[in-house]
Amino acid sequence: MQPLLTSEPSKVGDYRLFARIGKGAMGAVYLGCSRGGRPVAVKVAKPELAEDADFRERFRREASMSASVGGFWTATVVDADPEAEHPWLATEYVPGPTLHQAVNEHGPFPEHTVRRLGAGLAEALQAVHRAGLVHRDLKPANVLLGPDGPRVIDFGISRAMAATGMTATGMFFGTPGFFSPEQTTGGEVAPPSDVFSLGAVLVFAATGNAPFGNENSAAMLYRVVHAEPDLGTVPETLRPLIASCLAKDPNVRPSTGELLDHLGHSGSPTGEWLPRRVTTLISAHTAELDRVFRGEPLSASNGGTRVEERGGSVAAGATPAAAGAAAAGPSSTRRDDSRPAEGSRAATANERPGAVTGDPERDRTERPLVRPDLAGPVFRSGRRINALLWAAFSGALAYGTVMIGANAVTHGPSRALLALGVFLLVLSCVLCLAQALTPGISLKINSDGLRISRMGLHREIPWSRVGRVGLVGSGKKQALTVWAHQEFTPHSKWWHRTREYYGGNKIFLVGATGGWWARRREARRLRTALRQYAPRSYDARLL
């Protein structure tokens, strides 16, 4: 959460506003409180949308229909005013992380949790469809994890937003990788489209990845329409059901009722339905809500949680970003997430809940700027086997040269040249052996930033201090390069050598990860990770 700016309202309708949760495609989302003391999430439309008469009409109709949505697993719409200067909508506040944040930070869910999640989401969609609505943008960032079960947010209003002229030509309303083939091709969007999205969400919950990859939008759009989903790591007992949800033909997908027939008897969600680490996140959100309502000051330097458009949200009704699997709704961590502003994606150590604030240097030593326990891909410099082979070859060649040349060479100059050659071979053997035995560089990319490790030493570069990042060069010289703030410039150290590059610094040599095939594979993984965890900082144009 962030404190309200002086330009932002302190009250909307009958609701007093305490903090800003985030911003997205529709407008800003605030934490509010009713006169009776109930916490709510208040979404206020952007001024340019408020001036659109068509949007107001659709907002009025969709807000009325959304208020009629029942069910246990949807965030209840409690109030709305389409006629206000800036139309607004108030929904139930759910003190918990989004599915996107929880999976990004703590990894995929176990099978029993995925089953309970699927049952809750199917029942939520059933309630939405009964109200005559289609969600259109079901994704991990629009699923909140409450202590008693999941909540689906942003139903109904997404259709009002999509129907206005506020989207640019050629843009889709939704999240590539989670919306259906018919959305991609411009076909009729009906309840089966939401079932397809539900299948994609369950794949993400079970594996930590979208079923059609996490690359650029164009590639995912093509795969959604033409390729089969990647279900290789989905639990076998769930695979047939999820595959049926992801069928290309909407007519063969199961209905929400059929899904409940398969998933509806997997146990009632309780406080133990989630992994313990995710339950701890919910407790942290609840504690933060209590602090805000007690009137404790909320600021980035006083324990306030920075909300950025990454992959998570603490409020029901948080607005999603327009596109991108990682560019999800407002987040209480990052990764908005949503995992968190999807240049800056993560709060620094003193911006996290419960962080000690006062002495910055003390905070930096007690709390890492890039937490090592967060989920994210790891890259390692390799070629140690090659170095070992070259060491053995050089040693054998030196030994053979000594054994053969000792008897064959008798003249002084020739013996000197022989000794020099043996010396160089032995030196090469020693250097290659040292390279093979010395631990390589390890690079981890997660929702907090970049973490470089070697021999127990670490270097941290948080996304909040990175202006630009990308891959430069080609072949063996291709390297990950960052342009960071001055205090975080990664200068060379004895254990981690860097090279300057047009104002930036090369911090990880892709060419050191292996041969030609390995370099290409690792370069693709790096680009995918940067798109997912640093979409605002990643520059794909770098060469």
Side-chain angles (χ1 to χ4, degrees), residues 4 26 40 74 102 140 248 258 280 302 310 338 365 368 383 399 444:
L4 296 174
M26 177 182 163
V40 294
T74 57
K248 305 298 182 186
E258 291 170 334
T280 302
N302 194 21
R310 298 194 296 150
S338 83
T365 58
R383 312 191 74 171
Y399 177 77
K444 183 169 186 177

Side-chain angles (χ1 to χ4, degrees), residues 370 442-444 449-454 457-462 488-498 505-507:
V370 181
S442 173
L443 168 69
K444 183 169 186 177
L450 302 164
R451 183 178 176 88
I452 303 164
S453 305
R454 189 175 194 176
L457 301 172
H458 307 286
R459 162 174 273 165
E460 300 167 340
I461 308 175
F488 281 89
T489 300
H491 298 296
S492 287
K493 296 184 178 181
W494 67 267
W495 62 272
H496 178 224
R497 184 180 180 186
T498 65
N505 291 85
K506 296 180 179 180
I507 62 170

